[in-house]
Amino acid sequence: MSEPGKLVGVSLGPGDPGLMTRNAWEALSSPAHWTYPVTGISASSYALDIVRRGGLAIPADATPLVFPMSRDRVVLASAWVKAAHSVLALLHLGQDVLFLVEGDASTYATFEHLARTVRSLDPAIAVEVIAGVSSYCAAAARVGMPLAEQDDMFAVIPANYGIEIIDHLLDEFDTLVLLKVKPMLEQILDLLERRDIIGHARFVEKVGTPVERAIHDVTTLRGQEVAYLSLMLVHNPLRVSGGPRER
Amino acid sequence: MSEPGKLVGVSLGPGDPGLMTRNAWEALSSPAHWTYPVTGISASSYALDIVRRGGLAIPADATPLVFPMSRDRVVLASAWVKAAHSVLALLHLGQDVLFLVEGDASTYATFEHLARTVRSLDPAIAVEVIAGVSSYCAAAARVGMPLAEQDDMFAVIPANYGIEIIDHLLDEFDTLVLLKVKPMLEQILDLLERRDIIGHARFVEKVGTPVERAIHDVTTLRGQEVAYLSLMLVHNPLRVSGGPRER
């Protein structure tokens, strides 16, 4: 039997095919087998769309792996095991297997779950990750608002932690990246107005894609529908808590 | 007089030329004028070194801009003004000007200072940023430790904020990225041992360069010299504070 192939998490960046790294491009141009996540068997793939817009041909045997949008741990675990078995079958043929992910594979990506499950089934499998541009770095570049200067601190949190935690963290950080703001949008706008820092917030939706929206005056978002893949960058010029030592 | 050129912050990623984006590569292959930061007139350039290892020829007229390693605001402001005037002279010739930065231009980079100073001297100058892979995303990929899964929160802080703040933030975050750990290393190791999470920390120095060091057992760092460009990823499986809503 041949040596098993290696499993490679390929970060594609957040949406603009020009933000794919050279390493990602090279991996996709290799003979390795492609796999990519979908939320259902007939769902479209955001990752594949980035590659397609980049002008790369999708191999006919590229394999979708289903990861349902669910918070049910049994449903999720069973999907990972099924996906891991599909991947293992390919690896055991001696093929390298790419798993395509949007953004950066170490940041809120499904790759870690897949890699962990594959290795639990066969600890001999080698795993690699090709790092990528994260959505919030691309958003910061897009709106010209740095995430951090000199001695700043910043934090990245899913907005569903709730308004109290966002409020509290604004005391401690120079910049907050709030992910998945959709269900929390009005409450976040209220908070930013109450703290008088709404002029220091920016909103970016589907950054780098043809349907990107970058909003500098976030008060215009009141009453609007926003996409699931949307984020806010909030700079807090009034941070109160302690500064760095040895200034 | 011709239209002024635009100023472009070109993120090069943290050190591996393969982590340059396709947009960065394309910009560097254009006829635009290159500028890059150095700490002194005869100092070497980390940014230029990445490009050189990538196999791109450095244009003979590539211009170093001096940003001294100083915390003196007057010294820094005067360096930015001088650099901005050099850049403006080129822009006013109608040339596009690239400013090459390692890592991501929105994250602890000198680009924002330069862009702000240039625009304060001539508000008509168009500024663009090409986002890049940040050092901590590359480090996470290198050691196979995700920054965030599903509903995690993470924070990025310069380690010189002090041990008390790091200790406090470990209560609140799933993962901390500690930058510039060099002067704080022994104290950080003490803290991680005291909290019994030292097995969940990883150390990476000069990620993606030929002299990269990635350390999985950080206790081996005791008594060692480490580089200025070094960071730690600390995962805290024992986070105590509140979780996200709507789980």
Side-chain angles (χ1 to χ4, degrees):
Chain A
M1 190 178 146
S2 59
E3 281 281 297
K6 70 183 170 190
L7 174 60
V8 185
V10 182
S11 307
L12 301 174
D16 175 355
L19 291 186
M20 291 169 63
T21 63
R22 298 170 65 228
N23 280 350
W25 190 266
E26 193 179 310
L28 295 172
S29 307
S30 78
H33 191 101
W34 294 21
T35 64
Y36 57 94
V38 289
T39 56
I41 196 64
S42 59
S44 65
S45 160
Y46 195 84
L48 224 51
D49 186 49
I50 296 173
V51 173
R52 195 179 287 119
R53 282 188 284 111
L56 279 174
I58 314 294
D61 62 354
T63 309
L65 301 175
V66 178
F67 298 92
M69 291 280 262
S70 169
R71 286 179 174 276
D72 182 322
R73 285 170 189 279
V74 176
V75 169
L76 288 173
S78 120
W80 293 329
V81 168
K82 195 173 167 199
H85 277 293
S86 306
V87 166
L88 265 179
L90 294 161
L91 291 167
H92 284 156
L93 294 173
Q95 283 195 284
D96 291 341
V97 174
L98 311 182
F99 183 73
L100 280 56
V101 290
E102 63 250 31
D104 171 59
S106 303
T107 314
Y108 301 105
T110 42
F111 181 67
E112 179 61 20
H113 296 302
L114 178 66
R116 198 182 289 148
T117 312
V118 166
R119 292 187 81 145
S120 73
L121 296 169
D122 183 350
I125 298 297
V127 173
E128 275 181 28
V129 177
I130 298 175
V133 176
S134 60
S135 59
Y136 55 87
C137 286
R142 180 64 185 77
V143 298
M145 178 188 272
L147 293 168
E149 296 188 57
Q150 191 95 0
D151 284 315
D152 287 355
M153 344 201 283
F154 69 98
V156 179
I157 72 170
N160 66 348
Y161 272 77
I163 287 298
E164 294 77 11
I165 289 192
I166 297 170
D167 194 20
H168 161 65
L169 292 177
L170 280 170
D171 288 338
E172 307 207 15
F173 287 87
D174 300 282
T175 303
L176 288 188
V177 177
L178 304 177
L179 303 173
K180 299 179 191 164
V181 294
K182 182 179 160 82
M184 302 288 296
L185 189 58
E186 296 290 334
Q187 290 175 70
I188 294 170
L189 296 175
D190 291 345
L191 172 68
L192 299 180
E193 281 184 341
R194 201 159 65 238
R195 292 188 72 123
D196 200 19
I197 56 172
I198 199 154
H200 298 277
R202 302 287 182 270
F203 169 92
V204 187
E205 184 175 283
K206 297 190 172 179
V207 61
T209 71
V211 293
E212 171 191 282
R213 279 203 301 167
I215 308 282
H216 286 247
D217 176 3
V218 298
T219 61
T220 62
L221 291 167
R222 291 260 186 215
Q224 283 198 37
E225 270 296 301
V226 302
Y228 176 73
L229 287 173
S230 58
L231 61 83
M232 281 180 82
L233 305 175
V234 182
H235 182 59
N236 181 19
L238 310 169
R239 176 163 72 89
V240 293
S241 301
R245 310 303 164 83
E246 308 164 71
R247 255 205 209 264
Chain B
M1 192 176 143
S2 58
E3 281 281 296
K6 69 183 171 190
L7 174 60
V8 185
V10 182
S11 306
L12 301 174
D16 175 354
L19 291 186
M20 291 168 63
T21 64
R22 298 169 66 229
N23 280 350
W25 190 266
E26 193 179 310
L28 295 172
S29 308
S30 78
H33 190 101
W34 294 21
T35 64
Y36 57 94
V38 289
T39 56
I41 195 65
S42 59
S44 64
S45 160
Y46 195 85
L48 224 52
D49 186 49
I50 296 171
V51 174
R52 195 180 286 119
R53 282 188 284 109
L56 278 175
I58 315 294
D61 62 355
T63 308
L65 301 175
V66 178
F67 297 93
M69 292 280 263
S70 169
R71 285 180 175 276
D72 182 323
R73 284 170 189 277
V74 176
V75 169
L76 289 173
S78 118
W80 292 331
V81 169
K82 195 175 165 197
H85 276 294
S86 305
V87 167
L88 265 180
L90 294 160
L91 292 167
H92 284 156
L93 293 172
Q95 284 195 284
D96 291 342
V97 175
L98 311 181
F99 184 72
L100 280 57
V101 291
E102 62 250 30
D104 172 58
S106 303
T107 314
Y108 301 105
T110 42
F111 181 67
E112 180 60 22
H113 296 303
L114 178 65
R116 197 182 289 148
T117 312
V118 165
R119 292 186 81 145
S120 73
L121 295 169
D122 183 349
I125 298 298
V127 173
E128 276 181 30
V129 177
I130 298 175
V133 176
S134 59
S135 59
Y136 55 88
C137 286
R142 180 65 185 77
V143 298
M145 176 188 274
L147 293 168
E149 296 185 58
Q150 192 94 1
D151 283 317
D152 288 355
M153 342 200 284
F154 69 99
V156 179
I157 72 169
N160 66 350
Y161 271 76
I163 287 300
E164 293 77 11
I165 289 192
I166 296 171
D167 193 20
H168 161 65
L169 292 177
L170 280 170
D171 288 338
E172 308 207 13
F173 287 87
D174 300 283
T175 302
L176 288 189
V177 177
L178 304 177
L179 303 173
K180 300 181 191 163
V181 294
K182 182 179 161 83
M184 301 287 297
L185 189 58
E186 296 291 332
Q187 291 176 69
I188 294 170
L189 296 175
D190 291 345
L191 171 68
L192 299 180
E193 281 185 341
R194 202 160 65 236
R195 291 188 74 123
D196 201 20
I197 56 172
I198 199 155
H200 299 277
R202 300 290 181 269
F203 169 91
V204 187
E205 185 175 284
K206 296 189 173 179
V207 62
T209 71
V211 293
E212 171 191 280
R213 281 202 300 167
I215 309 282
H216 287 246
D217 176 2
V218 298
T219 61
T220 62
L221 290 168
R222 291 261 186 215
Q224 283 197 37
E225 271 296 302
V226 302
Y228 177 75
L229 287 173
S230 57
L231 61 82
M232 282 179 82
L233 306 175
V234 183
H235 181 59
N236 182 18
L238 311 169
R239 178 163 71 89
V240 292
S241 302
R245 310 302 165 82
E246 307 162 72
R247 255 204 210 267

